[in-house]
Amino acid sequence: MELKRIVITGTGVISPVGNTTQDFWSGLLSGKSGLDTIKGFDTEGHRCTIAGEVTDFDPTQYMEPAAAKKIDRFCQFAIAASNEAVEEAGLKDSSIPAERIGVLIGSGIGGLATLEEEVEKLVTKGPRRVSPMLIPKMIGDMSSGIVSIHHGFKGPNFTAVSACASSTHSIGEAFWILQRGDADVIVTGGAEAAITPVGMAGFASMRAMSTRNDDPQGASRPFDKDRDGFVMGEGAGILVMETLESAEARGANIIAEFIGYGATADANHITSPADDGSGAAAAITMAMKHAKIDPSEVSYINAHGTSTPMNDKFETRAIKSVFGDNAPNIPISSTKSMTGHGLGTAGAWETIVCALAVKNDKIPPTMNYTTPDPECDLDYVPNKSREVSVDIALNINLGFGGHNATGLVRKFK
Amino acid sequence: MSSTADKVIEVICEKLSVTADQCLPEAKFIDDLGADSLDTVELVMELEEQFNVTIPDEVSENILTVGDAIKFVEENA
């Protein structure tokens, strides 16, 4: 099958590092951490008290106050980031029919804060006090639903849910919707807001999160020997993906080309990645096959790099198994060292990083890398961004459930 | 207007994101104040909560205007 060329024509970001693509990107290049002590709720008794919260976010800057009140925080993030992406892509003034614009925004968790509030009402006041808005505010697909309502886009619309790979799957499935011709444009990415008492307690009980509570900015240290878990982030990342034919017909600005997507499962364990990295490796290989590229052509990898002891070790094995002797020559970074782990929005942020890396020939660093780990022995672009020619960038995201998703972005030529 | 009426209007303003001067007695929640069916359910629940009353479903179905809400609360709270 001859594939269409698919390009990225707009991006939008709400993140702990910045609430525009520009602030996000310049923040990452300068090594800015978005991680801090949690301010959003009282963390008394919590094992982990640090996170990457979105700050300076007023939802009414992006939507009507009445509309903002009716949706969960993760959907507010989705709308805010979609406004920026849609604006940059020039979709508002385009003549593309609404039916040809789809929306596919992933979320791993959905409206957890809403669920917590309503469960408390159920317990303290009884079932008749549970809000009729609980279900529409909570369900994870509402990010796609609400963004379509907000902008009036009537093309294919659903949500991929695959934990920390949700937005990477969304972006990849958007690629295939465009390939099969059901839309000319898809507004895709991810949105997440799970820094809530239950969310933090649940991940902490798994011992998945860093407990370096006295050093929030040093707590996310992917590939470093002293890493002790991830730090949660929140926000949204949105990309406007479009067929090259559509983008050229309307003279849209093209940021980068999206050339391949891979998706596999470990079939191993509900939360632990396969220790040989074979599932992730197969997802990388699948993306390269669709992109018709050779492993030697990959010039940057944005790793999943969560800063958990297992992920970073097994992901390193996956990269080595695909890239072999060339693996040490490929710059790899984990921007989670600065953003924290955005769960269902991580892949969207990181695909945007890949797109900006190929566009600008710059690679943001892995911060907090101080002590090499013999089991993680590749080039992780430690602590300082790098200016280097980047033609093809690979993004990797791996989710609880054993979901592996990868995407490939190429400099637009 | 009674203080109960004022308080009902306050609840309506908060729940439906409208202003007090829009809350004329004959104003319909859905047609005039921009509410949808979920909003009207939430509004009735909030009135129950604020005035410590129980509004049965068959009654709440007939609370369609600002005046209906004030009248119910004044007679039952």
Side-chain angles (χ1 to χ4, degrees), chain A residues 58-219:
Chain A
D58 173 7
T60 64
Q61 281 184 355
Y62 306 94
M63 65 207 87
E64 292 296 322
K69 226 162 60 173
K70 286 187 176 185
I71 57 177
D72 189 89
R73 185 168 165 90
F74 84 106
C75 284
Q76 294 176 349
F77 291 155
I79 286 185
S82 76
N83 283 356
E84 185 191 358
V86 164
E87 167 86 28
E88 184 185 16
L91 281 188
K92 275 289 180 213
D93 308 320
S94 80
S95 56
I96 302 170
E99 291 73 17
R100 300 294 299 169
I101 306 176
V103 182
L104 213 176
I105 300 170
S107 178
I109 309 277
L112 190 57
T114 298
L115 179 62
E116 287 177 33
E117 284 167 21
E118 298 302 327
V119 167
E120 193 171 336
K121 283 190 205 163
L122 174 74
V123 172
T124 58
K125 297 179 176 172
R128 291 179 56 95
R129 285 287 178 273
V130 172
S131 169
M133 299 307 294
L134 161 63
I135 304 298
K137 281 175 82 172
M138 174 193 74
I139 50 181
D141 56 292
M142 197 50 72
S143 46
S144 295
I146 201 77
V147 165
S148 75
I149 294 165
H150 185 72
H151 296 288
F153 300 148
K154 297 181 176 174
N157 190 297
F158 66 101
T159 287
V161 177
S162 53
C164 308
S166 298
S167 49
T168 312
H169 279 111
S170 296
I171 292 163
E173 294 304 322
F175 173 78
W176 284 112
I177 292 171
L178 293 167
Q179 292 295 347
R180 69 174 185 249
D182 287 344
D184 298 319
V185 178
I186 307 274
V187 176
T188 184
E192 202 78 273
I195 305 174
T196 69
V198 166
M200 292 298 293
F203 280 111
S205 290
M206 296 174 71
R207 306 294 193 274
M209 289 202 293
S210 171
T211 53
R212 206 180 285 261
N213 293 321
D214 54 354
D215 179 20
Q217 305 209 335

